[in-house]
Each structure stands twice: as structure tokens, then as C-alpha cells.
Amino acid sequence: MSQAIAITGLGMRTSLGDDAIGSCAALRAGLSCAQELPQFTVLNEDGTPEHPTGHPVQEAQGFRGQARLLALGRSALNECITRSTLHTEHRERLGLFLALPPVSGSPNPNHSESRKPILARQLARLARLPVREELLREFHAGHAGMALALEQATRELISERLDFCIVGGIDSLLEASTLQRLHDQRRLKSEDAPDGLQPGEAAAFVLLERLKYAQRRGTSIQALLGGAVALRDEVDVSRRVPGVVLGRAVADLLESSQRPESHWLISDINGEPGRAMEYGQCLTRLCAEHPGLRQAPLWYPATNLGDTGAASAVIAMCAAVRAFARDYAPAEAGLILSSSDGAERGAIRVTRFLPS
């Protein structure tokens, strides 16, 4: 436990709630705010227009592009700060790491850290966070970006380069160009494609610090980060074997565990047949070595929130943390599985904190 990482703060903004507690309670209750989006129109193959169904966040309405991501992220980040004790601490060694959607039109839309962290810088300024430029990171990898961000944050915390790290995800699929692209690819659930995703948008954050540091300063420890693994699948889609790389990421995470734990699964299954196939193939491979997963409960928040892209994994983390807090978690550890549209695959473990 000497290198254990504690989760000491949460913040969320979703279509179901203005904060983490409300959003996670609504998720547990099975609520949904799916609605027709009259402001967006996609064209079917025969040229007829259709209004898609999605999960908008009211606070983001009227904004586009990066301004929309900032509108989503600002309140969620403020909650993460104000509902923790971070605002009273010396924050010289504070990092802000963001999982974001892939860069549109980029030839290499992956987690390039050579890009200037423009959104992270703007978000820190709005939240009045004194984060130095070199401690801002952005991971433009979609769903699995959170696993990439957590891997880096864990290294920085263990090496004591950071005392705190706020790690979050922000994404919105509710942009006209995104919706039309998804519709053209027959990925958007519609009259033309009964199997598909419903677009969503959200922002969520977790505050991380070393467990010993959190205990020393007497803050509330909500759960532990049990590890994060990010791997890359074949870049050539035609050569990918569904579930292999995702299964390897989960297996690596389980093998690094220092104690046996019961698990439940939280997946980014979103209604697309390909994503469901990848999850099924992944689980089939894993159960040969980890038979306990065969009966593991499965949660998939996209049923209630739509596909929230780069925010999906941190939403799953918040859901697991609140499940521990309210004592309805079905196991001692939650395993979060993420598959990006690109080559990245990620696995994250969140475990219950049991004071010794």
C-alpha cells in the first residue's frame, strides 16, 4: 500500500444531474433524459431529414466546439475542487490531465503530448487553478484516453513530482458534423440503423493523491485507484481481432493486483454491434484464466447517458466510487473497460477503501 493512490474528490456534469451525487443516483435508478434533438438534422440515404435522439446537457446548449467542452467541464471541475479540501491546500505540485476526443482531421489523432494543452489551460484559468504549464496534459484518444491519463498521473504521483492530480474527461457528440458523420457511417441509432449509439455529452473529474499523503492531511478517502492499463490495438482495422487487446489490458491489470478481490464490470458498450462483440470476445478470453469474471455483474452507463466518448471511463469511475459510498457496490472492485474508435484500449480498476 506504500504506493497506493487515493481518490479524494469527484465532479460530474451529465444529462442526468448537475453534480456527481445526483448523476450517480440517477444512474442507479435507471433514469434517462433521452430526447429528440430538433436543433440537429441528419439526412437519410433517400434524402429525407431526421432529427436524431440524444442526451444533451442543458448548460452546454448554444455552444460549439471547444466552447462547448469548456461549458461542460467548468462546473464539473469546480465541484471536484470545492467538494474536496484541495482549495485549502498548497497546490504548487498540482497537475491537471484531460482525456478528450480525437483531434478532427489530424493524421495521428492519438495521445500526442507535443500538442499545446489549450483546453486544459483555459479550464484551469476559469477554475482559478494555479497549475503550471508543464503540469497540464491532454490525451486526445477518445474512450480509452482516461486510462492513458491515469497511467501518466500514477507515475507522476508515485515519483512525487505531483502531490495532487485532477484527472478528467470531457466530450460531446452533439455537434452537427459529428452527428452527420456517425449517421453516414450507420453508427447513429435512427430509422435507417436500429442498432447504433445515441449521442451524449458529459464531463467528469477525479482528484488523486498518494494514500499516505491523504491520510496524513486527514482528508476523506472515497476509494482507491487500483491501477490503469492502456494498450494499442492494430492500427490497420482489417487486422484487428476483437477483444484480444482489450482482454490483455484487463489481464495485465488483474495480474498486478496485490490481493484477490471480487470484481464487477463497467463497460462502454453503447448499442453498436461491433463494440458488443469486442466486449463478448474479451470476456470469453479472460474467463479461461479468471473464471470469477464469468458471473461478474455488468453495468453500461451509455444506456442512461448515451455515448459520452472520452468522459465515459471517468463517469464509470465516479459511479463505482458512489456505489462504495452508498454500499450498493456488487463487489469489492470495479473493472472499467474502454475501447476507443482508434487503436487505444484501456482498463481501469477502482477498489473500496478499507481503513486498517
Side-chain angles (χ1 to χ4, degrees):
M1 296 286 271
S2 61
Q3 294 186 332
I5 303 299
I7 299 172
T8 58
L10 306 177
M12 288 179 71
R13 184 68 169 176
T14 72
S15 60
L16 291 179
D18 296 342
D19 58 16
I21 292 175
S23 293
C24 292
L27 272 175
R28 187 194 179 194
L31 303 182
S32 175
C33 291
Q35 56 189 270
E36 187 178 84
L37 305 172
Q39 69 273 37
F40 296 111
T41 302
V42 294
L43 297 177
N44 293 322
E45 291 180 353
D46 60 1
T48 58
E50 180 180 346
H51 297 303
T53 297
H55 301 253
V57 173
Q58 191 62 39
E59 192 169 341
Q61 299 310 295
F63 294 97
R64 298 176 57 190
Q66 292 225 340
R68 194 175 188 104
L69 299 182
L70 284 172
L72 288 166
R74 183 178 182 178
S75 59
L77 179 57
N78 284 336
E79 180 194 1
C80 187
I81 297 167
T82 58
R83 291 201 176 180
S84 68
T85 57
L86 180 62
H87 61 286
T88 65
E89 295 293 325
H90 182 64
R91 296 174 291 182
E92 177 65 21
R93 294 194 295 179
L94 166 67
L96 176 62
F97 294 4
L98 294 182
L100 296 169
V103 180
S104 178
S106 170
N108 182 28
N110 298 316
H111 55 286
S112 171
E113 292 189 42
S114 62
R115 289 176 47 82
K116 293 183 179 180
I118 297 172
L119 189 75
R121 186 190 308 122
Q122 292 175 318
L123 200 58
R125 180 178 56 80
L126 289 172
R128 299 182 179 178
L129 272 179
V131 184
R132 302 200 308 269
E133 181 80 12
E134 65 269 22
L135 299 181
L136 297 169
R137 303 277 195 281
E138 292 181 358
F139 299 83
H140 293 266
H143 287 247
M146 189 64 184
L148 289 160
L150 289 170
E151 278 190 326
Q152 181 67 28
T154 299
R155 287 193 291 268
E156 301 279 350
L157 288 164
I158 290 175
S159 68
E160 299 190 11
R161 187 180 182 210
L162 295 178
D163 289 330
F164 305 98
C165 193
I166 299 174
V167 188
I170 315 173
D171 208 342
S172 175
L173 275 64
L174 300 181
E175 297 277 359
S177 58
T178 301
L179 292 171
Q180 188 62 57
R181 172 177 56 80
L182 291 170
H183 186 67
D184 291 344
Q185 295 171 349
R186 298 185 64 82
R187 296 181 57 195
L188 193 66
K189 190 176 180 68
S190 66
E191 294 177 1
D192 276 3
D195 295 325
L197 64 86
Q198 288 187 342
E201 57 185 356
F205 294 85
V206 293
L207 173 62
L208 304 178
E209 54 189 291
R210 293 182 298 281
L211 176 60
K212 285 190 173 182
Y213 187 70
Q215 290 173 319
R216 187 165 63 246
R217 70 189 192 91
T219 193
S220 174
I221 298 168
Q222 302 186 37
L224 299 179
L225 174 63
V229 174
L231 299 175
R232 284 179 60 79
D233 207 338
E234 288 279 357
V235 176
D236 184 352
V237 177
S238 66
R239 297 177 59 187
R240 290 182 191 170
V241 180
V244 171
V245 175
L246 182 60
R248 192 183 307 148
V250 178
D252 288 353
L253 197 57
L254 292 174
E255 289 167 8
S256 68
S257 178
Q258 297 180 353
R259 61 178 183 176
E261 295 168 317
S262 60
H263 294 87
W264 87 98
L265 303 171
I266 310 176
S267 170
D268 59 356
I269 292 173
N270 62 357
E272 293 187 275
R275 196 175 292 268
M277 178 182 291
E278 182 174 20
Y279 169 80
Q281 295 280 9
C282 164
L283 196 61
T284 298
R285 295 171 185 276
L286 281 171
C287 286
E289 294 293 329
H290 303 278
L293 293 179
R294 202 180 305 275
Q295 303 299 325
L298 171 64
W299 293 1
Y300 33 98
T303 299
N304 309 93
L305 295 171
D307 190 323
T308 51
S312 59
V314 67
I315 286 171
M317 291 180 69
C318 291
V321 170
R322 290 302 301 164
F324 293 137
R326 300 297 295 168
D327 205 28
Y328 60 85
E332 292 304 302
L335 281 176
I336 298 158
L337 282 61
S338 300
S339 299
S340 293
D341 289 345
E344 294 80 11
R345 300 293 182 265
I348 302 164
R349 184 173 63 235
V350 178
T351 67
R352 186 191 297 272
F353 173 63
L354 299 173
S356 54

